[in-house]
Structures are given as structure tokens and as C-alpha cells.
């Protein structure tokens, strides 16, 4: 189903502009290289617009944000919009401060990202634009989606997507990717992925590359990226050796993406459409 | 002895606010996840206080410091103090510039951290608040503590701790953790750990998690964290394969923490109390 | 040929000041430790000059640049010049924005770095100080140097070095290191190294360490560093296991440097002098 989307990333080799946090930037860059894309990081107001103009997609991530970086993100976002480049917002830990919430809300309002990717609590808070602070940057356990709750969760996320007017990619035990009408439910992945810093940031970079290389099929591209990341989590886990922990696992997931091709993805993806 | 301190970190899963350098932030985050805690990094003045307020401990590290980050650290530090959260200072390379020395001294004076963790030369310079510049961010070899010099070194560090009015965690060949009265001497670890960037920064994050999860037992919590890191260094080393170097070793140490439990720590810790 | 240059780095253990991007800073630090040097990162105007003064070499890298960091680079660069420390410029992605181009040109003009290290398109654009934007931070494929084109390419780079008045280290399929008169052509390395983020940044740090530990032999020192990195790429590749990808490869290259000694380098280096 999603194999051709990955193949297109490898053949198009899109250059992706990441304005992201410094904690996980290295992993984002290596994951983009693993999938066949090229990363560039640039966040200064003096170059953000110009850098975006030579790229094929823009990945905005609000971890370790500052006022200056936010201004540069808005400039780059508008330029990307003007040029028709896909824009993704990763509202990392949006509930931890008013600053992040207001920054994310401003990006949503002024840039209208094509896709917002986050965990359940981040997306819920951003959709509600308020309520009680979420717990750090990790997924709220209450947002864990079991197979049984799937239909209900998909409906809720569809409503959020419709309300926000963009594609939502809500990652958790099952990833839900929807434009408000169709919802792809991806059940690839492993719970141990949450013990690695930055798997979400990496997926945001990956999704931006899929959007850039698959124009006109944004929803499927975002779903395909989630399937790649989840399947890589399964393959990486299957290669774990005795004593390996989250540091080795981090590398094994990137390595799994490095070797994955469309055929492999077609065989391993676990997709339900609701 | 220290096993229960680790078990409490895993059960409490504290959220730790790290205001740290960008060089080793990723490793700090993964080590915190490995021990069962959760990391968050935020250093902008617009959110530092608020982020700290939802966390359980604050880790201040002066690597790659700027004036803005220092201001945000002071704001967050005061908020953490007000809320009774443990605060740790890692005076990375405090001897390399007047700026770092003054920043560290200001943090000590205005925030009164619970624990200061550094190598021998960093702690000595901070205690003396001056004298000749130390050699970069690595430990001064003259500070290497042999078993024979142990009693003398412990006495010296006790005096420094009393002088500074906080717990000192001085890491080296033997780690000395003291509140000025009792000194825990931890002789776990491997000399090869100094060939990896950021093992000190990682230990500072880990110590903050131990302080947060073991309230009322700060001295023992800080000593337990040093034992965990040292023992992980030994376990990681025992898993090294032919051709592995400092990059593999870095991952193997984090992985060793990932798998360590209280019983394992009790059996592997090498502790002398002076 | 180059073995003694590596041995001297291990015996001198130079402290290297890196003003570099946050994406690859951790890898640069670990590679410097792997080769026997010590890294320090500091980029604030309040400490950049002073930090440089206690170091043995300065590595300037324009990735994730800001106006403030550029100002600090110029201050540190002038101090390093005043003290006779070697200075290296890595014009990462110099073609992606006018800001980077102007920053690199200003550093060249005001600091006169001993060595500029970049890929073919970066060096060509910097030498031409203009023309059409290059493609991101990766090497332009048109710059790939085949064995057949070697003599022609060496001549072109010699002319660029003479024009710029410094040593150029142009890395690609064959690395060309020249002061305008002699050109060392290093054909170690693997094409897969370009699928890892930051191998260029790492080589820039490594080269700075080689310059610092081999005073008076700048050209050979820079060529030796390129041979070390390329040979490490070959050794690292030979240790790849089934399923390993770019994340594992990154670690294996650093690990190969960790174990390399002068004798090993002498046996593995592939050098032609033109």
C-alpha cells in the first residue's frame, strides 16, 4: 500500500528544512539521510526564508524554542506557503508553557501547516488551545489507544482535524492520521520506542520528507511515514542483542529505515482505514 | 545499599528540567529515560520558570552558556527553590573563562543548589572562586584520586562542602560525595569513561532524578546516582566487542543503566563511607 | 607517511576550541576524544576569546549560525591569530544563503584561516564568492572527483588555494589538500560516509587537532587528518554487521579512529602527491 511512497522519497531525495530543537537534531538529520532525503538545519532570521526557498519541505518543531527562533519560523513558514512547499508542525510539549502554546497557536493561525504531528495530549491541548498543562513532552498515558477504543479515537481525531483544518498525525500505540474524512490507523511500532528521546521529532522530519516527495497525496504520505517509523521500530527491536537498551535501539531504528524499501514496507505495514 | 534509591526513581518516574549545553543534551535525555525518569529541556526566559514548576527537579549546566540562558537559569532556579524542588549545578569547565566562573558563582549565591557536581578541578576552582584557569572541561589529572590518598581527599572535599554549604559530588577515579560530615566514596567506573563526551553531564542529569525521587535523603541519593553511573561504566565495558571505541561505549553505558535494577546495583556498588 | 602526525596528536593531546553547529557537535566532540585531543565548545561573546586563549586550535563552522555567534567567532578568530594558534574554517552549506556566504567571506577576510575545509561546491562557491546557490549542505554530485579527472581537479583546487591564500581541504570521492603548490590526493573513504550527518564537521575538528599538534607542517597535517577520516571510514565499514545502517556506521567510524595508531595509518593511507 505505502511502498511506492517510500520509493518516491528515495528517488526524489528531497532537501528538508528543519527548524527544530537541539536535543534531537542529530537523530532527525540521520533519519532523513536514512530514508534517502537530505536535511538542512537553519533557524536564524537572516537566512531562514532563503534556506526554505531552496528546500522542498519545512519541518517546524517547538522544542527548545526562543522568541527569535519563533520569528524565523514564521518568516520561513510564510515563504514555504508562498512557494507551495509542504509545512509540518510538531508541537513538542505544547502543554508545558504558555509560551509554547501561544507559539504553536500562532504558527497554526499564520502558517496553516499541512500536517500537525504530535502525541495525543499535545494534539488535544492544541485543538482545545488551553486547559490544564500536560505532563512534559511524553505522551499522556491516558491517550494510549487500544484496539478496542480505535473507532472512538478515530472519530475524535477526525473532529479535531476538521476543527483545525489540516491533517493530524496523532502518534501513540496506534497512530491515527486523518484529514477529517479518512483516518489511517497504523498499528506498527513498539512501546519501547517511547524510552528513546526524539522518535517523535524523527517522525516529524520523516513525514515532511514524505509530503515533499509525494505531492497531491498528503494524507497517504503522512500515513506512510508513520508506517515506516513504526515498522522500523519493529525491525530495530528484532535486531536487539542481549544487553542492548534505548541507546542501541535508537541506532537500530535509524538503521532499519536505512535498509527499508517499498516492498518491505508493503509487507510489514499494519494499516486499517476508518 | 543504594538499590532502593534506583527503584524509587523507576517508580516515581520524575520529570527533570535540564538547562544544559547542546553538545551532550541528547545523551542526557536518553540516560534519564534509561533510568526511568523523563527529560525536558527548556531554556528560554519565556518558559523556564513555568516549565520548572511542572517538573520534579532542575539540572543547571553551564556548558555553551549565554547571558540569556543564565538569566533563564536564575529565574528557573528561584522558582524551583520556592517550590522546594531539588536543584543541581554542574559547573562544566568553570575555569575556562571569567564568564563561566561568575555565572557559576552567581548561581551558587542566588540559588543555593542542593548539589554541585563536577570534577576535582572544577569544584576546587569554584570553592576557591578564582586562581589559575583549569585545563578545559576535562578533569585535571592532578585531581585523580588514588585509594591511598582517599582519606586526605575526602577530608578536603568535606571542608569544601562545609565552606560552600551544599552537597558536593566530585567525580574522578573515586567519586566523593559529601555534605561536609559524611563522605561516600564510590570506586565504581572505568578510566575509559573520560574518553566519552558528556558522561559528567549525564551523571548530573541522573543525580537530579535521584534527588527528585528520594526526597529527604539528598546525600545518599547523590551517592547512589554516582554508583549507578560507575557501575554502568563497568557493565558497558564488559559488553565491548572487538573494535568498539568511545562511540560504542557511550551507547553501552546508557544501555547498562536501562537494564539496571536495585538488586544489581546493590551487588555491584563499591562504596566506602568516611 | 602520515603515521607520525597522528602519533603527535595523541602525545600532544591538544585542547581544541570548536565554534560549531549544534546538529553534529556531539560527534565532533567524540571524534576529537577518539583521536586523543580534547574538545571544548563555547560560542558566547562573553567567553569566546578567553576560551580560545587557553586552547591550541580554533575550529569555526558556520552551520546553525547566528549574528551573535558570528561576532564571537570573529573575536575568537582574531585572538587565535594573535596567539599564533591554527584556525580552520568549515563553510558548511555556504551556498544556501547570503548570510552564510557573507559570514564565510568575512571570516576569510578578517581572520585569514590556515585551512578551509569543505566539499567541492562549498569551496568553489566561496572561492567565487557568488554564483547560483548550491544544493544544501551535501556535496554537489558534479564535484565528485574520479581518478581520471584527478590531475585536472588538483590543478583547479591549487588555483583556488593560491587565489584564497590558504590551504584548501576539499573532500569528496578523492580528498584534495593543497597550499597552491603541492596537492595531496587522498583516496581513502567510502561513498556511504555521505549518508551520515556530520562526517565533514568531524573531519574539520580532527584537522584542527592535527594542525595544533603538528606546528610548521600545516599542509601535511591537514592531509593526514583526511587520511585518518577516510581510513576510519573503511575500517568502520569493514566492521558493519548485517542490518547496520548509517547510525551504526557513524559510531563505527569514531571507534575506528579511537583504535588507530600511526603504524595502522601508514599501512592504510592511499596518498598521491601532485
Amino acid at each position: 500500500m505505502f511502498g511506492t511512497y517510500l520509493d518516491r522519497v528515495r528517488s526524489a531525495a528531497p532537501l528538508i528544512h528543519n527548524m527544530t530543537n537541539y536535543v534531537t537534531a542529530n537523530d532527525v538529520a540521520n533519519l532523513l539521510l536514512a530514508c534517502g532525503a537530505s536535511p538542512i538545519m537553519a533557524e536564524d532570521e537572516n537566512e531562514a526564508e532563503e534556506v526554505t526557498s531552496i528546500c522542498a519541505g519545512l519541518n517546524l518543531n517547538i522544542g527548545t524554542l526562543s522568541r527569535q527562533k519563533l520569528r524565523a519560523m514564521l518568516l520561513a513558514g510564510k515563504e514555504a506557503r508562498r512557494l507551495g512547499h509542504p509545512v509540518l508542525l510538531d508541537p513538542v510539549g505544547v502543554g508545558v508553557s504558555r509560551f509554547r502554546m501561544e507559539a504553536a497557536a500562532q504558527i497554526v493561525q499564520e502558517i496553516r501547516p499541512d500536517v500537525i504531528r504530535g502525541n495525543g495530549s499535545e494534539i488535544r491541548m492544541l485543538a482545545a488551545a488551553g486547559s490544564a498543562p500536560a505532563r512534559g513532552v511524553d505522551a499522556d498515558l491516558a491517550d494510549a489507544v487500544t484496539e478496542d477504543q480505535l473507532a472512538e479515537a478515530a472519530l475524535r481525531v477526525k473532529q479535531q482535524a476538521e476543527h483545525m483544518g489540516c491533517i493530524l498525525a496523532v502518534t501513540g500505540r496506534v497512530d491515527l492520521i486523518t484529514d477529517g474524512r479518512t483516518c489511517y490507523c497504523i498499528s506498527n511500532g513498539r512501546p519501547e520506542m517511547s524510552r528513546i528521546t526524539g522518535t517523535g521529532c524523527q517522525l516529524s522530519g520523516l513525514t515532511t520528507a514524505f509530503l515533499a516527495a509525494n505531492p497531491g497525496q498528503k494524507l497517504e504520505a503522512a500515513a506512510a511515514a508513520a508506517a515506516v517509523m513504526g515498522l522500523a521500530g519493529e525491525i530495530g527491536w528484532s535486531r536487539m542483542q542481549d544487553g542492548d537498551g534505548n541507546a542501541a535501539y535508537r541506532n537500530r531504528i535509524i538503521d532499519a529505515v536505512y535498509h527499508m524499501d517499498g516492498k518491505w514496507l508493503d509487507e510489514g505495514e499494519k494499516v486499517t482505514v476508518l
Side-chain angles (χ1 to χ4, degrees), chain A residues 5-266:
Chain A
Y5 294 84
L6 173 57
D7 292 338
R8 268 183 228 127
V9 174
R10 296 215 187 270
S11 59
L15 183 60
I16 302 301
H17 182 193
N18 302 280
M19 304 182 74
T20 187
N21 67 80
Y22 62 72
V23 183
T24 65
N26 184 274
D27 294 327
V28 171
N30 273 326
L31 191 81
L32 282 168
L33 287 162
C35 80
S38 283
I40 185 166
M41 275 67 176
E43 63 184 45
D44 195 76
E45 290 179 77
N46 294 291
E47 65 172 2
E49 278 175 283
E50 196 177 350
V51 168
T52 270
S53 73
I54 60 162
C55 291
L58 177 62
N59 172 25
L60 303 175
N61 176 306
I62 63 168
T64 63
L65 191 66
S66 66
R67 285 249 176 259
Q68 299 96 297
K69 206 200 284 192
L70 176 58
R71 278 199 301 270
M73 283 182 175
L74 294 168
L75 290 172
K78 284 167 191 170
E79 179 68 1
R81 283 280 75 121
R82 195 181 67 78
L83 295 167
H85 297 174
V87 179
L88 179 142
L89 170 65
D90 185 335
V92 177
V94 71
V96 302
S97 71
R98 281 181 299 272
F99 176 53
R100 289 202 199 191
M101 179 56 82
E102 288 166 11
Q106 190 177 4
I107 291 169
V108 169
Q109 196 177 346
E110 297 188 15
I111 309 299
R112 297 271 152 214
D114 299 280
V115 177
I116 303 176
R117 194 220 62 79
N119 63 44
S121 57
E122 288 163 350
I123 298 295
R124 193 184 58 234
M125 290 202 69
L126 189 54
S131 80
R135 187 175 185 289
V137 292
D138 296 323
D140 189 332
L141 290 182
D143 293 303
V145 173
T146 64
E147 300 282 344
D148 292 344
Q149 304 166 318
L150 198 59
E152 192 189 323
L155 182 63
R156 190 183 56 184
V157 176
K158 279 182 185 179
Q159 290 167 341
Q160 289 169 339
E162 202 168 26
H163 170 61
M164 300 195 72
C166 67
I167 293 169
L168 293 181
V170 184
T171 47
R173 217 161 107 177
V174 176
D175 302 327
L176 304 173
I177 299 96
T178 181
D179 59 359
R181 288 178 300 275
T182 307
C183 184
Y184 288 96
C185 310
I186 314 288
S187 51
N188 292 98
R190 299 263 332 163
E192 293 84 359
M193 297 172 80
S194 66
R195 296 287 297 278
I196 303 168
T197 192
T199 48
C201 304
Q202 289 176 50
L203 176 53
S204 290
L206 188 72
T207 302
T208 312
F210 272 70
L211 294 170
N214 294 282
Q217 295 170 293
K218 291 175 189 171
L219 180 62
E220 289 71 23
V228 167
M229 195 74 197
L231 182 58
E234 295 172 17
I235 295 167
W237 188 256
S238 74
R239 292 188 61 240
M240 293 285 273
Q241 297 178 353
D242 201 43
D244 278 359
N246 57 331
Y249 192 26
R250 176 257 307 264
N251 292 320
R252 295 195 187 285
I253 292 172
I254 296 173
D255 287 352
V257 172
Y258 184 91
H259 287 289
M260 198 183 295
D261 62 17
K263 187 163 169 290
W264 207 354
L265 179 58
D266 282 336

